[in-house]
Amino acid sequence: MFYEPRLRNHGLRHDPFKALVVPRPIGWIGTVDADGRPNLAPYSFFNAVADRPPMVVFSSAGRKHSVANIEQTGEFTCSLAGYGQRAAVNMTSATVAAGIDEFALAGLEPEPSLRVKPPWVKGAPAALECRLWRVVELPPSGPERGDAHRLVIGEVIGIHVVDGYIREGRVDTGAMRALSRLGYMDYAVLEAATIFTMNRPEVGADGRSATVSDAPWDGVYR
Ligand SMILES: Cc1cc2nc3c(=O)[nH]c(=O)nc-3n(C[C@H](O)[C@H](O)[C@H](O)COP(=O)(O)O)c2cc1C
C-alpha cells in the first residue's frame, strides 16, 4: 500500500505511521512549573540525536504542560523506564489539570536531580538531566497552529545510571528491560535475549571494498 498522510487515504481504521517507526524509546519527562510544582509525563516521540554533547529531543502534540514548564524554567529530566514501571508510565499520561503532580498520582517517588530543579523517577534504571536548547514549532496538520507539535531540544548535562545496571564497566542494557512504544496501545520490552553484536565494516586500503570481522568486539569504537 501507499498513502499520503495529509490526505488520510490509508483506508485503515487508524493511520499506521506510529506502528511503523518502532520501537520508539520513551522519555519520561520530569519538569517543574514556575511555582516549583512537579509534573511527569511519557513522550515516545523522543530520542537521543547527538552525543558530543549529548542532546535529546521530544515532541508534544500542542503545547502540553511539559513544554509549558520547560519554556518557563529551561530545564527537564528524562527518566528511562523499565518494564516494571509500565503501569506507572501509563498512569502519568493521564490528562490531569495543570499543577497536578503525576509523581503522586502514579505513586512514584521523586529522586532529586543534581544540576536541575525537576526530579527524576526513583526506580528508573537511568535518567538524564537536561537544559533546554530550543523549542521548534513543527508544521500544523491543518489551518490551526494550536495543535502543531512542539519539538523540544535539550542538552544532557547530567546522567544517572543506577549502579546495579553497570557490569564489568558497561551498562547492562538487557538488565534495564527498557520499555518502548509501538503503534496503537502496544508496547515492547528490550530483553537480553534479543540483543546481538556486530563489528563495523573495515574498509580495504583501496577504499573500494569492506569486510566485517566475526571476532568478539575489541572494545574500540570505530
Ligand atoms: C507511552 C506514551 C507515550 C506518549 N508519547 C507522547 C508524545 O510523544 N507526544 C505527545 O504529545 N503525547 C504523548 N503521550 C501522551 C502524553 O503523555 C499525555 O498527553 C500527557 O498527559 C501529557 O502530559 P503533560 O501535559 O503533563 O505534559 C504519550 C503517552 C504514553 C502513554
Side-chain angles (χ1 to χ4, degrees):
M1 69 177 281
F2 171 76
Y3 73 103
E4 293 161 279
R6 280 193 183 266
L7 302 183
R8 299 198 173 99
N9 55 357
H10 45 73
L12 305 174
R13 186 155 169 213
H14 303 284
D15 187 326
F17 173 66
K18 290 197 279 186
L20 299 171
V21 185
V22 289
R24 292 185 308 285
I26 299 172
W28 211 359
I29 306 297
T31 55
V32 294
D33 67 13
D35 298 324
R37 293 178 299 184
N39 190 89
L40 181 68
Y43 284 82
S44 73
F45 286 144
F46 164 79
N47 222 315
V49 290
D51 62 357
R52 295 190 315 268
M55 305 285 296
V56 290
V57 300
F58 76 91
S59 106
S60 163
R63 194 167 173 269
K64 295 183 178 178
H65 300 147
S66 303
V67 178
N69 289 352
I70 292 167
E71 284 179 333
Q72 288 177 62
T73 65
E75 296 180 340
F76 60 102
T77 59
C78 310
S79 297
L80 300 159
Y83 181 70
Q85 294 174 306
R86 63 196 179 284
V89 165
N90 191 27
M91 182 54 81
T92 58
S93 76
T95 321
V96 289
I100 298 299
D101 176 356
E102 292 92 350
F103 283 89
L105 183 76
L108 295 164
E109 210 177 309
E111 183 76 39
S113 291
L114 299 179
R115 297 288 178 270
V116 298
K117 284 207 192 78
W120 55 285
V121 178
K122 193 182 175 102
L128 314 175
E129 298 189 13
C130 304
R131 185 182 293 140
L132 174 65
W133 186 61
R134 232 160 255 183
V135 178
V136 178
E137 191 177 313
L138 300 181
S141 62
E144 289 296 319
R145 278 183 60 198
D147 80 332
H149 279 72
R150 269 62 167 184
L151 182 71
V152 176
I153 309 173
E155 179 178 341
V156 180
I157 59 166
I159 301 180
H160 300 267
V161 185
V162 172
D163 289 341
Y165 292 97
I166 297 181
R167 205 158 295 159
E168 294 169 13
R170 286 172 56 164
V171 170
D172 186 349
T173 309
M176 287 173 57
R177 304 189 79 199
L179 197 63
S180 62
R181 188 78 172 90
L182 310 176
Y184 317 109
M185 292 302 125
D186 295 341
Y187 292 77
V189 54
L190 180 62
E191 299 281 4
T194 62
I195 296 175
F196 59 94
T197 303
M198 286 197 291
N199 285 308
R200 286 281 177 84
E202 279 182 54
V203 177
D206 62 359
R208 299 167 71 91
S209 60
T211 53
V212 176
S213 161
D214 285 336
W217 183 43
D218 62 7
V220 178
Y221 272 98
R222 295 187 172 84

